[in-house]
Amino acid sequence: MNKVRIGVLASGSGSNFGAIATQAQSPDYPGEIAVLICNQAQAHAQERARQFGIPVHLIPNRDYGHREDHDRAVVAALQAHRVELVVMAGWMRIATPVLLAAYPDRILNIHPSLLPSFRGMHAIQQALDYGVKISGCTVHIVRLEVDSGPILAQAAVPVYPTDTVTSLQQRIQSEEHRLYPEAIAQYIQSRMAEVPTPTNVAIPATLDRQ
Ligand code: GRF
């Protein structure tokens, strides 16, 4: 089987990265992780990648004045590893048109809420503040607007009156670790043939320094 080359972008612990890397070890899984890109020097995801023998690129965003310049470095690293599908797994950066143009409809993200509810950084706290009784996680295609874009998969979890951000986050993350590898595999098998190949898409010069 010709496996799709996946590039994972992560900023933190990398538990989702670990879940995907574990599934990707199976000969039947349709993708393989070609590279992990981190923007934070202390991101634990890097240790996990080394354990799996997956190459790591550290590209600290603070080394770049403009978000587009950072994304340009990220795209260069992805292209150097011949990445065909980009998977954000706790990537604490907002994608710029530079990244989106290089991988149109080929960037996935997981978010800890049932989108379109509770977009942004504090989704779990907001869910608790609203008193929702059901929350969960969503895998979606990345678009310019944060946590928007077509939904590929969702999983729901109950919210209990005694929940804290930590307890709800743990319950959601257990679902994420099951859902994300599955949704990625499904996307590769059913949707990827319809979207343009990254090598056919040039990064528009007009996007420079926006
Ligand atoms: C996940 O909960 C995901 O929903 C959010 O960031 C978190 C990353 O966790 N986008 P980890 O680094 O995969 O452990």
mmCIF file with all atom_site columns, all heavy atoms in Angstrom, residues 186-199:
data_model
loop_
_atom_site.group_PDB
_atom_site.id
_atom_site.type_symbol
_atom_site.label_atom_id
_atom_site.label_alt_id
_atom_site.label_comp_id
_atom_site.label_asym_id
_atom_site.label_entity_id
_atom_site.label_seq_id
_atom_site.pdbx_PDB_ins_code
_atom_site.Cartn_x
_atom_site.Cartn_y
_atom_site.Cartn_z
_atom_site.occupancy
_atom_site.B_iso_or_equiv
_atom_site.pdbx_formal_charge
_atom_site.auth_seq_id
_atom_site.auth_comp_id
_atom_site.auth_asym_id
_atom_site.auth_atom_id
_atom_site.pdbx_PDB_model_num
ATOM 1   N N   . GLN A 1 186 ? -9.979  7.936  7.423  1.00 0.00 ? 186 GLN A N   1
ATOM 2   C CA  . GLN A 1 186 ? -11.182 8.040  6.598  1.00 0.00 ? 186 GLN A CA  1
ATOM 3   C C   . GLN A 1 186 ? -11.035 9.153  5.560  1.00 0.00 ? 186 GLN A C   1
ATOM 4   O O   . GLN A 1 186 ? -11.455 9.003  4.418  1.00 0.00 ? 186 GLN A O   1
ATOM 5   C CB  . GLN A 1 186 ? -12.365 8.365  7.503  1.00 0.00 ? 186 GLN A CB  1
ATOM 6   C CG  . GLN A 1 186 ? -13.579 7.511  7.201  1.00 0.00 ? 186 GLN A CG  1
ATOM 7   C CD  . GLN A 1 186 ? -14.591 7.653  8.303  1.00 0.00 ? 186 GLN A CD  1
ATOM 8   O OE1 . GLN A 1 186 ? -14.766 8.743  8.847  1.00 0.00 ? 186 GLN A OE1 1
ATOM 9   N NE2 . GLN A 1 186 ? -15.245 6.572  8.645  1.00 0.00 ? 186 GLN A NE2 1
ATOM 10  N N   . TYR A 1 187 ? -10.434 10.256 5.986  1.00 0.00 ? 187 TYR A N   1
ATOM 11  C CA  . TYR A 1 187 ? -10.222 11.387 5.076  1.00 0.00 ? 187 TYR A CA  1
ATOM 12  C C   . TYR A 1 187 ? -9.310  10.960 3.918  1.00 0.00 ? 187 TYR A C   1
ATOM 13  O O   . TYR A 1 187 ? -9.590  11.246 2.760  1.00 0.00 ? 187 TYR A O   1
ATOM 14  C CB  . TYR A 1 187 ? -9.594  12.563 5.832  1.00 0.00 ? 187 TYR A CB  1
ATOM 15  C CG  . TYR A 1 187 ? -9.352  13.756 4.957  1.00 0.00 ? 187 TYR A CG  1
ATOM 16  C CD1 . TYR A 1 187 ? -10.394 14.597 4.608  1.00 0.00 ? 187 TYR A CD1 1
ATOM 17  C CD2 . TYR A 1 187 ? -8.086  14.031 4.456  1.00 0.00 ? 187 TYR A CD2 1
ATOM 18  C CE1 . TYR A 1 187 ? -10.185 15.688 3.772  1.00 0.00 ? 187 TYR A CE1 1
ATOM 19  C CE2 . TYR A 1 187 ? -7.869  15.117 3.635  1.00 0.00 ? 187 TYR A CE2 1
ATOM 20  C CZ  . TYR A 1 187 ? -8.922  15.941 3.301  1.00 0.00 ? 187 TYR A CZ  1
ATOM 21  O OH  . TYR A 1 187 ? -8.707  17.011 2.475  1.00 0.00 ? 187 TYR A OH  1
ATOM 22  N N   . ILE A 1 188 ? -8.245  10.244 4.261  1.00 0.00 ? 188 ILE A N   1
ATOM 23  C CA  . ILE A 1 188 ? -7.304  9.788  3.229  1.00 0.00 ? 188 ILE A CA  1
ATOM 24  C C   . ILE A 1 188 ? -8.032  8.866  2.249  1.00 0.00 ? 188 ILE A C   1
ATOM 25  O O   . ILE A 1 188 ? -7.884  8.985  1.031  1.00 0.00 ? 188 ILE A O   1
ATOM 26  C CB  . ILE A 1 188 ? -6.104  9.051  3.872  1.00 0.00 ? 188 ILE A CB  1
ATOM 27  C CG1 . ILE A 1 188 ? -5.218  10.039 4.635  1.00 0.00 ? 188 ILE A CG1 1
ATOM 28  C CG2 . ILE A 1 188 ? -5.291  8.296  2.819  1.00 0.00 ? 188 ILE A CG2 1
ATOM 29  C CD1 . ILE A 1 188 ? -4.126  9.401  5.467  1.00 0.00 ? 188 ILE A CD1 1
ATOM 30  N N   . GLN A 1 189 ? -8.835  7.967  2.793  1.00 0.00 ? 189 GLN A N   1
ATOM 31  C CA  . GLN A 1 189 ? -9.459  6.955  1.942  1.00 0.00 ? 189 GLN A CA  1
ATOM 32  C C   . GLN A 1 189 ? -10.621 7.494  1.107  1.00 0.00 ? 189 GLN A C   1
ATOM 33  O O   . GLN A 1 189 ? -10.849 7.036  0.003  1.00 0.00 ? 189 GLN A O   1
ATOM 34  C CB  . GLN A 1 189 ? -9.919  5.776  2.791  1.00 0.00 ? 189 GLN A CB  1
ATOM 35  C CG  . GLN A 1 189 ? -8.735  4.888  3.137  1.00 0.00 ? 189 GLN A CG  1
ATOM 36  C CD  . GLN A 1 189 ? -8.981  3.991  4.337  1.00 0.00 ? 189 GLN A CD  1
ATOM 37  O OE1 . GLN A 1 189 ? -9.901  4.236  5.131  1.00 0.00 ? 189 GLN A OE1 1
ATOM 38  N NE2 . GLN A 1 189 ? -8.177  2.963  4.484  1.00 0.00 ? 189 GLN A NE2 1
ATOM 39  N N   . SER A 1 190 ? -11.337 8.502  1.657  1.00 0.00 ? 190 SER A N   1
ATOM 40  C CA  . SER A 1 190 ? -12.544 8.892  0.934  1.00 0.00 ? 190 SER A CA  1
ATOM 41  C C   . SER A 1 190 ? -12.517 10.284 0.335  1.00 0.00 ? 190 SER A C   1
ATOM 42  O O   . SER A 1 190 ? -13.218 10.565 -0.621 1.00 0.00 ? 190 SER A O   1
ATOM 43  C CB  . SER A 1 190 ? -13.769 8.750  1.848  1.00 0.00 ? 190 SER A CB  1
ATOM 44  O OG  . SER A 1 190 ? -13.622 9.629  2.927  1.00 0.00 ? 190 SER A OG  1
ATOM 45  N N   . ARG A 1 191 ? -11.710 11.203 0.883  1.00 0.00 ? 191 ARG A N   1
ATOM 46  C CA  . ARG A 1 191 ? -11.809 12.593 0.430  1.00 0.00 ? 191 ARG A CA  1
ATOM 47  C C   . ARG A 1 191 ? -10.569 13.096 -0.301 1.00 0.00 ? 191 ARG A C   1
ATOM 48  O O   . ARG A 1 191 ? -10.657 14.021 -1.094 1.00 0.00 ? 191 ARG A O   1
ATOM 49  C CB  . ARG A 1 191 ? -12.046 13.535 1.621  1.00 0.00 ? 191 ARG A CB  1
ATOM 50  C CG  . ARG A 1 191 ? -13.282 13.287 2.441  1.00 0.00 ? 191 ARG A CG  1
ATOM 51  C CD  . ARG A 1 191 ? -14.515 13.988 1.872  1.00 0.00 ? 191 ARG A CD  1
ATOM 52  N NE  . ARG A 1 191 ? -14.486 15.441 1.965  1.00 0.00 ? 191 ARG A NE  1
ATOM 53  C CZ  . ARG A 1 191 ? -15.061 16.146 2.935  1.00 0.00 ? 191 ARG A CZ  1
ATOM 54  N NH1 . ARG A 1 191 ? -15.687 15.538 3.906  1.00 0.00 ? 191 ARG A NH1 1
ATOM 55  N NH2 . ARG A 1 191 ? -15.016 17.465 2.922  1.00 0.00 ? 191 ARG A NH2 1
ATOM 56  N N   . MET A 1 192 ? -9.406  12.511 -0.029 1.00 0.00 ? 192 MET A N   1
ATOM 57  C CA  . MET A 1 192 ? -8.176  13.148 -0.501 1.00 0.00 ? 192 MET A CA  1
ATOM 58  C C   . MET A 1 192 ? -8.024  13.183 -2.012 1.00 0.00 ? 192 MET A C   1
ATOM 59  O O   . MET A 1 192 ? -7.408  14.099 -2.548 1.00 0.00 ? 192 MET A O   1
ATOM 60  C CB  . MET A 1 192 ? -6.956  12.509 0.144  1.00 0.00 ? 192 MET A CB  1
ATOM 61  C CG  . MET A 1 192 ? -6.314  13.479 1.114  1.00 0.00 ? 192 MET A CG  1
ATOM 62  S SD  . MET A 1 192 ? -4.841  12.858 1.851  1.00 0.00 ? 192 MET A SD  1
ATOM 63  C CE  . MET A 1 192 ? -3.654  13.187 0.595  1.00 0.00 ? 192 MET A CE  1
ATOM 64  N N   . ALA A 1 193 ? -8.612  12.180 -2.672 1.00 0.00 ? 193 ALA A N   1
ATOM 65  C CA  . ALA A 1 193 ? -8.481  12.136 -4.127 1.00 0.00 ? 193 ALA A CA  1
ATOM 66  C C   . ALA A 1 193 ? -9.145  13.345 -4.786 1.00 0.00 ? 193 ALA A C   1
ATOM 67  O O   . ALA A 1 193 ? -8.763  13.750 -5.888 1.00 0.00 ? 193 ALA A O   1
ATOM 68  C CB  . ALA A 1 193 ? -9.116  10.853 -4.646 1.00 0.00 ? 193 ALA A CB  1
ATOM 69  N N   . GLU A 1 194 ? -10.111 13.971 -4.093 1.00 0.00 ? 194 GLU A N   1
ATOM 70  C CA  . GLU A 1 194 ? -10.864 15.086 -4.690 1.00 0.00 ? 194 GLU A CA  1
ATOM 71  C C   . GLU A 1 194 ? -10.142 16.433 -4.586 1.00 0.00 ? 194 GLU A C   1
ATOM 72  O O   . GLU A 1 194 ? -10.524 17.381 -5.247 1.00 0.00 ? 194 GLU A O   1
ATOM 73  C CB  . GLU A 1 194 ? -12.207 15.257 -3.965 1.00 0.00 ? 194 GLU A CB  1
ATOM 74  C CG  . GLU A 1 194 ? -13.119 14.071 -4.057 1.00 0.00 ? 194 GLU A CG  1
ATOM 75  C CD  . GLU A 1 194 ? -14.199 14.115 -2.967 1.00 0.00 ? 194 GLU A CD  1
ATOM 76  O OE1 . GLU A 1 194 ? -14.446 15.190 -2.401 1.00 0.00 ? 194 GLU A OE1 1
ATOM 77  O OE2 . GLU A 1 194 ? -14.755 13.036 -2.696 1.00 0.00 ? 194 GLU A OE2 1
ATOM 78  N N   . VAL A 1 195 ? -9.137  16.528 -3.705 1.00 0.00 ? 195 VAL A N   1
ATOM 79  C CA  . VAL A 1 195 ? -8.530  17.849 -3.501 1.00 0.00 ? 195 VAL A CA  1
ATOM 80  C C   . VAL A 1 195 ? -7.218  17.949 -4.283 1.00 0.00 ? 195 VAL A C   1
ATOM 81  O O   . VAL A 1 195 ? -6.581  16.936 -4.574 1.00 0.00 ? 195 VAL A O   1
ATOM 82  C CB  . VAL A 1 195 ? -8.288  18.147 -1.990 1.00 0.00 ? 195 VAL A CB  1
ATOM 83  C CG1 . VAL A 1 195 ? -9.588  18.121 -1.226 1.00 0.00 ? 195 VAL A CG1 1
ATOM 84  C CG2 . VAL A 1 195 ? -7.282  17.199 -1.390 1.00 0.00 ? 195 VAL A CG2 1
ATOM 85  N N   . PRO A 1 196 ? -6.829  19.190 -4.660 1.00 0.00 ? 196 PRO A N   1
ATOM 86  C CA  . PRO A 1 196 ? -5.621  19.356 -5.469 1.00 0.00 ? 196 PRO A CA  1
ATOM 87  C C   . PRO A 1 196 ? -4.386  18.809 -4.750 1.00 0.00 ? 196 PRO A C   1
ATOM 88  O O   . PRO A 1 196 ? -4.323  18.853 -3.524 1.00 0.00 ? 196 PRO A O   1
ATOM 89  C CB  . PRO A 1 196 ? -5.492  20.870 -5.624 1.00 0.00 ? 196 PRO A CB  1
ATOM 90  C CG  . PRO A 1 196 ? -6.677  21.489 -5.004 1.00 0.00 ? 196 PRO A CG  1
ATOM 91  C CD  . PRO A 1 196 ? -7.454  20.449 -4.276 1.00 0.00 ? 196 PRO A CD  1
ATOM 92  N N   . THR A 1 197 ? -3.423  18.317 -5.525 1.00 0.00 ? 197 THR A N   1
ATOM 93  C CA  . THR A 1 197 ? -2.189  17.840 -4.891 1.00 0.00 ? 197 THR A CA  1
ATOM 94  C C   . THR A 1 197 ? -1.324  19.050 -4.530 1.00 0.00 ? 197 THR A C   1
ATOM 95  O O   . THR A 1 197 ? -1.271  20.014 -5.286 1.00 0.00 ? 197 THR A O   1
ATOM 96  C CB  . THR A 1 197 ? -1.399  16.910 -5.829 1.00 0.00 ? 197 THR A CB  1
ATOM 97  O OG1 . THR A 1 197 ? -1.237  17.585 -7.059 1.00 0.00 ? 197 THR A OG1 1
ATOM 98  C CG2 . THR A 1 197 ? -2.109  15.602 -6.044 1.00 0.00 ? 197 THR A CG2 1
ATOM 99  N N   . PRO A 1 198 ? -0.650  19.006 -3.386 1.00 0.00 ? 198 PRO A N   1
ATOM 100 C CA  . PRO A 1 198 ? 0.091   20.178 -2.935 1.00 0.00 ? 198 PRO A CA  1
ATOM 101 C C   . PRO A 1 198 ? 1.139   20.642 -3.931 1.00 0.00 ? 198 PRO A C   1
ATOM 102 O O   . PRO A 1 198 ? 1.376   21.832 -4.062 1.00 0.00 ? 198 PRO A O   1
ATOM 103 C CB  . PRO A 1 198 ? 0.757   19.712 -1.642 1.00 0.00 ? 198 PRO A CB  1
ATOM 104 C CG  . PRO A 1 198 ? 0.255   18.372 -1.334 1.00 0.00 ? 198 PRO A CG  1
ATOM 105 C CD  . PRO A 1 198 ? -0.575  17.890 -2.462 1.00 0.00 ? 198 PRO A CD  1
ATOM 106 N N   . THR A 1 199 ? 1.751   19.703 -4.652 1.00 0.00 ? 199 THR A N   1
ATOM 107 C CA  . THR A 1 199 ? 2.829   20.080 -5.572 1.00 0.00 ? 199 THR A CA  1
ATOM 108 C C   . THR A 1 199 ? 2.309   20.923 -6.743 1.00 0.00 ? 199 THR A C   1
ATOM 109 O O   . THR A 1 199 ? 3.073   21.618 -7.383 1.00 0.00 ? 199 THR A O   1
ATOM 110 C CB  . THR A 1 199 ? 3.505   18.825 -6.132 1.00 0.00 ? 199 THR A CB  1
ATOM 111 O OG1 . THR A 1 199 ? 2.495   17.883 -6.448 1.00 0.00 ? 199 THR A OG1 1
ATOM 112 C CG2 . THR A 1 199 ? 4.483   18.231 -5.151 1.00 0.00 ? 199 THR A CG2 1
#
